[in-house]
Amino acid sequence: DTGVSQDPRHKITKRGQNVTFRCDPISEHNRLYWYRQTLGQGPEFLTYFQNEAQLEKSRLLSDRFSAERPKGSFSTLEIQRTEQGDSAMYLCASSPRTPEETQYFGPGTRLLVL
Amino acid sequence: QQPVQSPQAVILREGEDAVINCSSSKALYSVHWYRQKHGEAPVFLMILLKGGEQKGHDKISASFNEKKQQSSLYLTASQLSYSGTYFCGDFGNEKLTFGTGTRLTIIP
């Protein structure tokens, strides 16, 4: 069990640039979630996939954000025209489709927008 | 609707016990407990699904009241490794809504 992995672990970018993050879930998990966490707060839900289908998006996810999960494996989260308010930790989690729905988190990508 | 946790922060000496509460004004679908250390990802501790359920492993246990509006996490004989921020999460509407968090500091 290799766990959930995310890449990159850290990203510094200038305001207005586009960034893309990748998440590789645990291989047998068919659900994948994206969360955003700012300092001192708990993770906030952004979106989730069941296999390749994106089933829900939070209203936190503005039009500048897009997520994909081609072939139901890894997922990418892209932020276009970054703003300083986008600075946060972006966490990915995966879960099997079981009654318990335990979510296992990756190490996160810390984004700093200058 | 975000679950509310109490206390917001607590400092304990090694070996002391702690109780962290998670409350909601509406019934929770299920309660997931996580611990997060600074700069790291949340680590799953346990899940409670049913009202009245109690669950535990090692020196960490949790309960879920009958109405499913409150859950408590019990840490006994705390160790330095227990330090971190604890979050409860409500798995309603197919996603986790995390609570306000409780920062636990264990000092030698």
Side-chain angles (χ1 to χ4, degrees):
Chain A
D1 183 357
T2 56
V4 179
S5 62
Q6 292 187 244
D7 183 69
R9 295 290 307 276
H10 303 272
K11 179 71 177 178
I12 300 174
T13 191
K14 293 182 179 179
R15 189 177 52 185
Q17 298 294 306
N18 299 344
V19 294
T20 300
F21 310 141
R22 176 180 170 125
C23 170
D24 287 89
I26 294 171
S27 59
E28 64 269 24
H29 287 184
N30 59 6
R31 283 203 170 190
L32 187 149
Y33 299 81
W34 285 98
Y35 292 86
R36 180 170 66 188
Q37 186 175 28
T38 53
L39 200 62
Q41 304 296 315
E44 294 177 293
F45 169 79
L46 292 178
T47 188
Y48 87 96
F49 294 83
Q50 181 159 309
N51 299 313
E52 66 275 10
Q54 187 173 17
L55 297 186
E56 187 173 344
K57 293 191 291 185
S58 164
R59 59 179 182 276
L60 290 176
L61 215 64
S62 76
D63 291 345
R64 298 184 297 106
F65 287 71
S66 63
E68 294 182 340
R69 193 184 181 195
K71 302 179 183 178
S73 56
F74 71 91
S75 176
T76 57
L77 178 68
E78 181 183 16
I79 310 174
Q80 296 182 326
R81 305 180 303 282
T82 53
E83 301 173 356
Q84 288 185 323
D86 296 332
S87 296
M89 173 78 91
Y90 289 84
L91 292 163
C92 174
S94 70
S95 73
R97 189 64 174 104
T98 68
E100 293 192 342
E101 298 287 353
T102 300
Q103 296 186 23
Y104 297 92
F105 283 80
T109 295
R110 185 171 294 281
L111 173 67
L112 178 61
V113 182
L114 302 175
Chain B
Q1 200 169 8
Q2 183 180 34
V4 176
Q5 292 181 231
S6 62
Q8 286 185 307
V10 58
I11 300 174
L12 297 176
R13 291 198 176 276
E14 203 172 2
E16 293 182 333
D17 301 340
V19 180
I20 299 171
N21 298 305
C22 173
S23 297
S24 175
S25 58
K26 64 173 182 65
L28 303 170
Y29 182 83
S30 62
V31 174
H32 301 225
W33 284 98
Y34 287 84
R35 175 172 60 215
Q36 185 176 31
K37 294 185 180 288
H38 183 69
E40 299 180 9
V43 173
F44 172 76
L45 296 176
M46 67 184 75
I47 179 174
L48 298 102
L49 298 173
K50 301 175 183 176
E53 184 176 3
Q54 296 188 38
K55 184 179 283 190
H57 57 85
D58 201 7
K59 296 177 182 176
I60 301 176
S61 61
S63 64
F64 201 8
N65 75 346
E66 288 289 343
K67 290 187 176 181
K68 299 182 71 175
Q69 288 181 275
Q70 178 161 332
S71 177
S72 296
L73 185 71
Y74 307 94
L75 307 169
T76 58
S78 56
Q79 306 168 15
L80 293 175
S81 62
Y82 288 2
S83 289
T85 301
Y86 289 77
F87 292 101
C88 64
D90 172 27
F91 188 73
N93 298 317
E94 306 286 317
K95 59 185 178 287
L96 275 175
T97 300
F98 285 86
T100 50
T102 296
R103 177 176 289 185
L104 176 65
T105 303
I106 309 296
I107 56 177

